[in-house]
């Protein structure tokens, strides 16, 4: 779990790359500046967000496949027998309502991101297109083999490199902290 958390946080982090390097882009900074920067290109941000989301979901899936149904718990103190008391109805109903509404809101936001990556211009022209994916992740075969021509490949490879380096370090620190 520490490795998964470290990998996902490394993929989505943009504070550290901005502070430490400042001269290179990662996916999360590209998404941020596509939305709030002078580019104002929500479609590009949506495409990059889907790529970032795909990596984090893939990492989660691989971790679940690796661990399976195994459980790792520490046993200390006195057990509770496994029976948990039910919440009072006056607390359970509002908690369920708030959780359901928040879950629906979260799903709606992700669906809008996916839909926004396939439309021509969000808010004005909802014509379905693959133009943003082609522009962002264009690949060409030339005289010298495969060429990464899209506008996001540099930040994509930098993001993977930083996540690959920092995730094991973050996981190690998390495991040491948990052990201590």
């Amino acid at each position: 779990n520490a490795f998964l958390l470290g990998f996902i946080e490394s993929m989505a982090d943009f504070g550290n790359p901005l502070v430490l390097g400042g001269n290179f882009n990662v996916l999360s900074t590209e998404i941020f500046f596509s939305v709030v920067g002078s580019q104002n290109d929500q479609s590009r941000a949506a495409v990059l967000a889907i790529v970032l989301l795909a990596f984090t979901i893939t990492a989660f899936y691989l971790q679940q496949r690796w661990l399976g149904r195994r459980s790792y718990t520490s046993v200390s103190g006195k057990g509770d027998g496994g029976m948990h008391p039910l919440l009072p109805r006056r607390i359970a109903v509002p908690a369920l309502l708030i959780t359901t509404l928040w879950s629906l809101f979260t799903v709606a936001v992700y669906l809008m991101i996916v839909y926004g990556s396939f439309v021509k211009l969000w808010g004005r022209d909802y014509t379905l297109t693959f133009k943003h994916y082609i522009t962002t992740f264009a690949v060409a075969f030339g005289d010298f083999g495969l060429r990464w021509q899209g506008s996001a490949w540099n930040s994509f490879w930098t993001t993977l490199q930083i996540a690959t380096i920092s995730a094991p370090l973050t996981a190690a620190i998390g495991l040491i902290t948990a052990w201590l």
Side-chain angles (χ1 to χ4, degrees):
N1 286 341
F3 178 77
L4 175 67
L5 183 62
F7 180 79
I8 291 172
E9 289 298 322
S10 298
M11 290 290 289
D13 186 25
F14 69 90
N16 290 330
L18 286 176
V19 170
L20 298 176
N23 295 332
F24 59 88
N25 296 324
V26 294
L27 286 176
S28 55
T29 58
E30 288 291 318
I31 294 166
F32 180 76
F33 290 124
S34 291
V35 173
V36 301
S38 61
Q39 300 170 9
N40 193 21
D41 189 357
Q42 286 90 0
S43 299
R44 182 171 187 264
V47 169
L48 294 174
I50 287 175
V51 171
L52 189 60
L53 184 63
F55 268 99
T56 55
I57 288 173
T58 302
F60 176 76
Y61 174 76
L62 291 174
Q63 189 245 4
Q64 292 299 317
R65 292 277 303 179
W66 184 28
L67 292 179
R69 295 202 178 271
R70 289 179 276 182
S71 176
Y72 301 95
T73 56
S74 312
V75 178
S76 64
K78 184 177 176 183
D80 64 356
M83 294 296 295
H84 301 288
L86 294 175
L87 283 174
R89 190 166 176 79
R90 62 184 171 78
I91 295 174
V93 170
L96 181 62
L97 180 67
I98 290 169
T99 304
T100 303
L101 289 174
W102 189 258
S103 298
L104 290 173
F105 173 71
T106 303
V107 168
V109 167
Y110 280 111
L111 289 175
M112 286 174 24
I113 290 171
V114 171
Y115 182 68
S117 72
F118 289 105
V119 298
K120 193 166 188 174
L121 182 61
W122 184 263
R124 295 189 185 234
D125 185 0
Y126 292 102
T127 306
L128 296 177
T129 181
F130 283 104
K131 177 184 157 252
H132 306 296
Y133 284 96
I134 294 168
T135 303
T136 306
F137 293 106
V139 177
F141 295 99
D143 295 337
F144 301 106
L146 187 65
R147 290 187 344 188
W148 309 102
Q149 289 185 323
S151 61
W153 283 116
N154 288 337
S155 60
F156 175 79
W157 295 121
T158 304
T159 300
L160 278 182
Q161 182 181 18
I162 290 172
T164 303
I165 293 168
S166 64
L169 298 173
T170 305
I173 291 169
L175 289 170
I176 291 169
T177 304
W179 182 72
L180 290 174

